[in-house]
Amino acid sequence: MNPLTQFKKILILPILIALALIVGAAPALATPGCGTTNTNLLSPVPAGYFPDGLLDLMCRELPGTRLPWYLKMNVRGDSDVYVTQVTFQPAAQTGWHSHPGPSLITVIEGTLTVYKDDCTSTTYSAGESFTDIGCGDVHNVVNETGAEAKDVAVQIVPHGAMRRIDVDDPGCPQVPPCPAF
């Protein structure tokens, strides 16, 4: 073997080993959802556009009552609003993700379990609601039942932003991978 060829092999071998180690140590990739169907309930998409300042809202009590209800919402920047229904087949899941802004979610049929990236979970049944603050709140919504489930979400996101941000699987052992649908 020619000395130059041997020298090239000696230089390339450590690079190939380093690349194999890097690829082998790579974190789990984002987990796509499975068995879900998203339907935008209002047209156009997004359903609403709110210019900067229009979502600065405050209410200390209901007019004409003394009910202690307090609302404060201050959104800086233009916003888009979406109203979406998600249908979950049995064993379906959204995959691990976050949103750039808050979501108000109501389960309208069946039962859904929301897993957080710290591997804790909460289960919600039809008629129950929950919020997702967005802004890095990582979660995966799973239908762990044998029946179809549905939720409706109202989302507020920065104007022009993607509604969903896929994230890496945090490795929660109780969340099975997507089945084949």
Side-chain angles (χ1 to χ4, degrees):
M1 179 183 300
N2 141 359
L4 183 58
T5 303
Q6 188 174 11
F7 180 72
K8 286 180 183 177
K9 285 183 179 180
I10 291 171
L11 283 179
I12 292 173
L13 184 61
I15 293 170
L16 291 175
I17 291 171
L19 283 173
L21 289 173
I22 290 170
V23 170
L29 299 176
T31 55
C34 58
T36 63
T37 305
N38 290 25
T39 305
N40 289 305
L41 296 179
L42 300 177
S43 290
V45 176
Y49 166 75
F50 294 84
D52 184 28
L54 200 56
L55 292 177
D56 292 345
L57 310 169
M58 188 170 182
C59 178
R60 293 191 186 273
E61 66 180 44
L62 297 177
T65 72
R66 294 241 178 237
L67 293 176
W69 189 75
Y70 181 78
L71 169 74
K72 181 177 180 183
M73 182 173 169
N74 296 97
V75 178
R76 299 287 182 251
D78 298 344
S79 301
D80 292 331
V81 174
Y82 294 85
V83 180
T84 307
Q85 177 179 295
V86 182
T87 302
F88 294 78
Q89 297 305 313
Q93 59 182 283
T94 60
W96 292 98
H97 67 282
S98 183
H99 303 282
S103 300
L104 307 172
I105 304 105
T106 299
V107 178
I108 62 169
E109 181 181 315
T111 301
L112 296 170
T113 301
V114 180
Y115 287 91
K116 300 285 187 178
D117 60 350
D118 65 359
C119 299
T120 60
S121 66
T122 305
T123 300
Y124 301 93
S125 296
E128 295 183 308
S129 300
F130 60 98
T131 58
D132 166 18
I133 190 65
C135 305
D137 180 32
V138 174
H139 56 281
N140 186 356
V141 183
V142 181
N143 179 0
E144 298 180 323
T145 73
E148 184 176 88
K150 294 180 183 180
D151 72 20
V152 172
V154 176
Q155 296 176 298
I156 302 170
V157 299
H159 178 62
M162 298 286 293
R163 292 183 309 137
R164 177 186 163 108
I165 303 163
D166 288 329
V167 299
D168 292 339
D169 182 341
C172 298
Q174 70 272 40
V175 180
C178 280
F181 280 92

